[in-house]
Amino acid sequence: MMLPRIVVAGNGQLGQMLQQAGAPMQLQVMPVEPNQDIEIALHSDDVITVEIEHWPDTVTGLQLKNHPNFRNAGALHAVIDRKRQKSLLDRLQVPTAPWVVLDDEATLEEDLTGLGERAVVKRRRGGYDGRGQWRWQSGGEVESEWAGTCIAEAMIPFSHEVSLVGARNAAGEKVFYPLTRNWHENGILRASVAGIDVPEIQQQHAEQWLSRIMDDQEYIGVMAMECFVVDGDLLVNELAPRVHNSGHWTQEGATISQFELHLRALADLPLLTPEVKGVSVMYNLLGRNWKPQWLGIDGIHVHWYGKSLRPGRKVGHVNINRPDPAKLGESLQKLLAQVDDEDRVAIQWSLDQL
Ligand code: ATP
Ligand code: MG
């Protein structure tokens, strides 16, 4: 059987985990660094996907972008600029935080005040993990550099954050995981919990909206949608046209991981709704090593990316998967006693969600 080779633009952990997901099927996945001026050997039947959203027009970068099987160019174009992304959500009538484009320096204060007492200013391009963001409140300083480079959103008083990970294939079939509950600190994902009860209405709305977005973009592969929970319903925060950190729990917590699901959609293999196995917690290792003794705790799986340690850098994650909340609680209690102080808050938050 001939499966296409999947070439991934970007060679970080997401590409690595896509490669791991393809390995059992001998589905070849080749991550490539796009930011280099080297001519790489691509086949005409390769399928090109991404783990990052933008890269410069280098020799390799252009080769990837111009390949006839480069997938989801339209969705990437729409998502990499927050103005375009928010406009897409508005056009598709997907509820999102009220927002404005900050264009004119002279009206910055007025534009922000129009959103209410507090706002979040976000750089239109290039932000991630909370970078390129500022919190503003009425009477506070405005920065002239915001004009022309940023959008602003009303500060949403959410009760918590959730995300939906789904996939669509070329025939337009779509499948979804249940909503994952996420905890961010300083704009960076610390922990996720999945397999716990989710209000039906939230799941329904999230699936409807992500379906609308993926269909509109004729999207192929996995897409993630981050949401705020407000008064029991959802507001969409942002989209990620790729596999997503909040879906990492699916590696051990579902019959098909988000990485395999993405490959299935790209290679046009059967798409099935993944079944969730028990309850899962994922927490990110931010600039910290893991400890071998953790492997003595039931249900723990360590995923280490092989990167060098830098403060706050995502260098790995830990999935803990157990058949039920009580057992997961036992594992988390054990882990709590073994992790560094900085990770204790993430584990404690996870325990509180069960
Ligand atoms: P990612 O790494 O997920 O791509 P990011 O840096 O692109 O993150 P956002 O997801 O827009 O940025 O924001 C990061 C976090 O900041 C959110 O998960 C949320 O906790 C908080 N945040 C963002 N926008 C708002 C808002 N309008 N109201 C309240 N909190 C917000
Ligand atoms: Mg985000």
Side-chain angles (χ1 to χ4, degrees), residues 128-352:
Y128 68 100
D129 286 345
R131 278 177 251 201
Q133 290 197 12
W134 298 263
R135 302 288 189 260
W136 175 86
Q137 65 181 27
S138 190
E141 288 289 301
V142 298
E143 314 237 358
S144 56
E145 65 159 311
W146 293 347
T149 60
C150 292
I151 65 156
E153 293 174 2
M155 174 75 83
I156 302 300
F158 56 80
S159 57
H160 53 275
E161 293 183 81
V162 296
S163 57
L164 183 70
V165 174
R168 180 183 182 278
N169 65 12
E173 294 171 311
K174 291 167 288 288
V175 298
F176 302 94
Y177 295 97
L179 288 169
T180 303
R181 190 179 278 211
N182 303 314
W183 177 51
H184 294 85
E185 195 183 41
N186 302 325
I188 191 161
L189 182 66
R190 296 292 307 270
S192 301
V193 177
I196 52 176
D197 285 343
V198 168
E200 188 57 35
I201 188 76
Q202 292 177 15
Q203 185 74 32
Q204 256 177 31
H205 281 165
E207 290 188 14
Q208 262 169 29
W209 301 337
L210 186 53
S211 293
R212 215 180 281 163
I213 294 160
M214 293 196 294
D215 284 341
D216 180 72
Q217 298 295 316
E218 296 181 38
Y219 190 81
I220 302 176
V222 162
M223 189 185 279
M225 184 176 80
E226 299 180 9
C227 307
F228 303 125
V229 179
V230 189
D231 298 330
D233 207 343
L234 305 180
L235 273 184
V236 173
N237 171 24
E238 61 165 356
L239 304 170
R242 51 174 170 76
V243 288
H244 192 253
N245 198 170
S246 70
H248 288 2
W249 63 270
T250 61
Q251 287 172 306
E252 283 87 23
T255 48
I256 306 171
S257 76
Q258 66 163 345
F259 302 100
E260 181 178 335
L261 202 62
H262 188 57
L263 298 178
R264 284 184 182 222
L266 290 171
D268 220 12
L269 294 165
L271 212 55
L272 289 177
T273 297
E275 284 177 19
V276 174
K277 302 191 256 183
V279 199
S280 299
V281 162
M282 186 280 328
Y283 81 94
N284 277 327
L285 296 168
L286 302 177
R288 268 190 290 292
N289 223 319
W290 62 288
K291 296 182 183 166
Q293 77 205 70
W294 296 349
L295 299 184
I297 299 171
D298 281 321
I300 284 210
H301 300 266
V302 171
H303 295 266
W304 184 251
Y305 309 151
K307 300 197 220 171
S308 53
L309 289 177
R310 257 193 265 128
R313 187 182 200 195
K314 284 181 189 168
V315 287
H317 68 272
V318 176
N319 287 336
I320 308 126
N321 174 256
R322 298 300 308 271
D324 59 58
K327 290 213 164 64
L328 183 57
E330 286 170 20
S331 289
L332 290 173
Q333 289 291 357
K334 285 187 190 154
L335 188 61
L336 201 55
Q338 295 185 16
V339 296
D340 297 335
D341 284 350
E342 297 93 325
D343 283 336
R344 229 162 265 155
V345 266
I347 312 285
Q348 188 58 56
W349 174 84
S350 309
L351 267 167
D352 295 342

